[in-house]
Amino acid sequence: MSDTNLVYAYAVLRRTPEAAVATAQLRGVAGEPIHLVDPAVSSPPLAFAVGHVPPADYDDAPLQAHLDDLDWLESTVRSHHAVVAALVASGAAVLPLRLATVYRDEDTARQALDTRRGYFLSLLDRLTGHVELGVKIYAAPDITPPEADAESAQDPLTGLGVGRAYQVIRRRRQRRNEEAWRTVAQAAARLTETAGTLAVDRVAHTPERGSLAGKAPGTNIGNDAYLVPKDRVTAFRTGILTAAQGVPGLRVEITGPWAPYSFALQPEPHEETAA
């Protein structure tokens, strides 16, 4: 384990006077001041936003242990995101890095920035002027499609014994549930198609289950991220919410705008320790 502090990289950005001022006012995951590290090649201007963090928390072994500590992990995620969000708010074009992108020292970080310079610049060109919006689609637990009432007349309970009647009721409820899910799934597919026409890219994340789903009612059946031009954010929200209106059992949650985490492919330098 190193006796000196490690370098935690938060984002790649184009160096501007505004970005330098914004960076100097920030504190990072360990309460450390944030600053910019420039590559050896200075044109066009590019930099890492970094902070120095203790190896006792961010070297390989302690970091892996910390990742199993949910309280520590939540605090670190919030602090990491706060740095990236502040840089975005400054107007800088920002390529956010994944949590716990750590280098041994600034020379190693600078070398990684030099090595992947063209890659970073191409991503920044693509993401400049865009934000990420999240769209989560939920199916309500008690959805009942309109055709259920008509179906109930096709399977009368009159004259049936208790056991037989119970089986009929179970089958009827199962059919209603299956039809309700088909209705919601079809509506979700149409909504996803609509979102695709309003965004320039989409990343389909795994729907949230169990504790990851939090207290949101219903079942998460869609969990997507969209890359949206900044001037199209309002139109995107309006289009998605309009498409979801009037669909029984369907609920939509739109989050953001965020820095485009889902669309920023991550660096993998030799000396990196990453979560």
Side-chain angles (χ1 to χ4, degrees), residues 153-164:
Q154 300 173 8
D155 200 359
L157 298 179
T158 305
L160 295 180
V162 173
R164 173 62 176 161

Side-chain angles (χ1 to χ4, degrees), residues 132-228:
E132 178 175 327
L133 291 174
V135 177
K136 294 182 180 181
I137 304 174
Y138 294 89
D142 56 349
I143 48 181
T144 303
E147 58 269 26
D149 291 338
E151 177 190 87
S152 64
Q154 300 173 8
D155 200 359
L157 298 179
T158 305
L160 295 180
V162 173
R164 173 62 176 161
Y166 179 70
Q167 292 176 359
V168 169
I169 291 170
R170 286 189 61 187
R171 285 199 300 271
R172 186 179 299 169
R173 287 175 176 170
Q174 182 178 0
R175 287 196 298 269
R176 289 179 180 178
N177 183 67
E178 291 172 352
E179 290 175 1
W181 275 96
R182 282 196 295 271
T183 298
V184 170
Q186 291 168 358
R190 291 194 300 271
L191 191 148
T192 299
E193 183 177 353
T194 298
T197 66
L198 298 169
V200 299
D201 202 356
R202 166 180 174 251
V203 172
H205 295 300
T206 302
E208 296 176 340
R209 296 287 186 268
S211 60
L212 292 177
K215 298 180 179 180
T219 302
N220 183 207
I221 61 174
N223 180 24
D224 297 341
Y226 292 89
L227 187 65
V228 181

Side-chain angles (χ1 to χ4, degrees), residues 131-135 224-228 232-233 236-237 254-258 263:
V131 295
E132 178 175 327
L133 291 174
V135 177
D224 297 341
Y226 292 89
L227 187 65
V228 181
R232 211 184 295 170
V233 169
F236 183 91
R237 289 182 182 276
I254 302 176
T255 60
W258 314 109
F263 304 91

Side-chain angles (χ1 to χ4, degrees), residues 34-81:
I34 307 302
H35 63 282
L36 298 180
V37 168
D38 300 306
V41 179
S42 59
S43 180
L46 195 66
F48 269 146
V50 307
H52 288 269
V53 294
D57 285 321
Y58 289 92
D59 216 340
D60 293 342
L63 178 59
Q64 290 303 316
H66 277 316
L67 294 178
D68 292 327
D69 181 342
L70 294 183
D71 291 336
W72 185 93
L73 185 60
E74 181 178 2
S75 175
T76 302
V77 168
R78 289 182 183 276
S79 297
H80 179 104
H81 174 67

